[in-house]
Amino acid sequence: MRRRRRKAVSIKGLQRAFLTWLAQHAQACVFNLGQLCKNPLSSLMTTAVIGISLALPAGFYLLLENANRLTGRWDGTVQITLFLRQDLDAARTKALADELSGSAQIASVQLISPAEALAEYQRASGFADVIDTLGENPLPPILLVRPEFSAPGAEQVDGLLSELAALTAVESAQFDRQWVRRLFAIIDILQGSIMILSVLLALAVLLIVGNTIRLAIYNRRAEIEINKLFGATDAFIRRPFLYAGLVHGLGGSLIAWLLLQASIIALRGRVGELARLYYSNFALSGQDLAQAGLLFFAGGLLGLAGSWLAVSQHLKALEPA
């Protein structure tokens, strides 16, 4: 019986301590919101600056994600275009395509006949009336060869290109590897630039939040000294300032998310028009739920960290005389 009573008392004590801890945090949160409402303009300006600082790297990252999604439609490879001799008949062209399909270095081969190439050119160029005046089809048979190698511009592709160009039935072989290499090099540079920009703007958010909390501590220094005289702990004094940093960070994340959504809505129509000019159904995509959650988590964490650093540095200097 005594053990049961002791256990019941300990459980009630833990519940009472948890409720006390929860009430203290709720009181600090409500007190902080009241302090922010006293100066709504300055609080909004600080939150807006944080939001812009968060929106810049998030926007560049979203742009890079759309670029990767667009280039991902190549399935990681680039086609080699083989222009065959015009004197080849359909049977010999088909036999060459079947022979290349059996190679271990080639993933697939697509045959485009001269009639199909002419029809596609008429449909894409808009010069159908002019082409109809030609007496004969000037286009040769074409083979679109997809290499087995997954890396665009790989050294193996150069060797395969030389082998295909040396075939007697091939008039010329083209592989636009230079622009592909340049594109992926630009994407790599952008990825590194976004990482550097994210680190710099994260430091800027820490400085903004830290300076805001430092000013709040300075304005309430008399209140803090009185609370210390009555035995208030550093944790009790620190709690409202931590909530202030957290609210600024989350508010900045909300502003950044709204800016990104507005930018996507403004650009989606123009990107769609550009894609239709290239006969593509590509559409600009916004943040998904995981990316939005990461944005709010990063903003809240930066706000909390900046507040913690500022309070830890300046609170020790405020001791009652």
Side-chain angles (χ1 to χ4, degrees), residues 148-198:
E148 186 66 35
F149 317 111
S150 59
E155 296 181 357
Q156 297 93 331
V157 181
D158 294 334
L160 178 61
L161 179 64
S162 300
E163 294 179 6
L164 295 177
L167 297 176
T168 57
V170 176
E171 185 71 26
S172 64
Q174 292 184 358
F175 176 46
D176 298 330
R177 57 191 180 277
Q178 291 299 329
W179 72 269
V180 174
R181 289 172 176 171
R182 292 168 184 169
L183 177 61
F184 278 88
I186 291 174
I187 291 177
D188 289 337
I189 293 174
L190 288 177
Q191 288 177 341
S193 301
I194 290 174
M195 292 297 297
I196 297 174
L197 181 64
S198 300

Side-chain angles (χ1 to χ4, degrees), residues 77-119:
T77 60
V78 178
Q79 291 177 336
I80 296 176
T81 303
L82 300 181
F83 297 94
L84 306 182
R85 299 202 320 265
Q86 289 187 336
D87 56 351
L88 290 179
D89 54 21
R92 295 173 61 188
T93 303
K94 183 67 169 55
L96 178 60
D98 295 337
E99 180 183 354
L100 294 178
S101 299
S103 174
Q105 295 179 308
I106 296 175
S108 64
V109 177
Q110 180 184 357
L111 171 61
I112 300 178
S113 65
E116 293 173 343
L118 182 62

Side-chain angles (χ1 to χ4, degrees), residues 214-296:
R214 181 184 65 81
L215 293 176
I217 294 174
Y218 179 79
N219 292 331
R220 296 172 55 190
R221 63 187 184 278
E223 177 186 347
I224 293 174
E225 291 177 354
I226 293 174
N227 287 332
K228 285 191 173 184
L229 283 174
F230 282 94
T233 61
D234 288 344
F236 177 82
I237 299 174
R238 184 187 297 116
R239 194 175 295 124
F241 297 107
L242 295 181
Y243 274 107
L246 180 62
V247 170
H248 280 302
L250 293 178
S253 299
L254 178 60
I255 292 178
W257 182 80
L258 292 175
L259 290 175
L260 290 177
Q261 293 300 114
S263 301
I264 292 296
I265 294 174
L267 295 176
R268 183 168 289 165
R270 299 180 180 180
V271 173
E273 292 178 2
L274 179 61
R276 283 191 292 272
L277 294 177
Y278 288 92
Y279 302 93
S280 173
N281 58 354
F282 175 79
L284 195 64
S285 63
Q287 284 187 319
D288 55 20
L289 186 60
Q291 292 172 344
L294 181 61
L295 176 62
F296 279 89

Side-chain angles (χ1 to χ4, degrees), residues 28-65:
C29 184
V30 172
F31 175 79
N32 170 67
L33 292 176
Q35 292 293 324
L36 294 178
C37 292
K38 288 182 179 179
N39 302 299
L41 183 60
S42 61
S43 300
L44 181 60
M45 291 179 62
T46 301
T47 306
V49 173
I50 295 174
I52 295 173
S53 300
L54 293 174
L56 286 175
F60 282 118
Y61 176 79
L62 191 59
L63 179 63
L64 190 60
E65 283 291 311

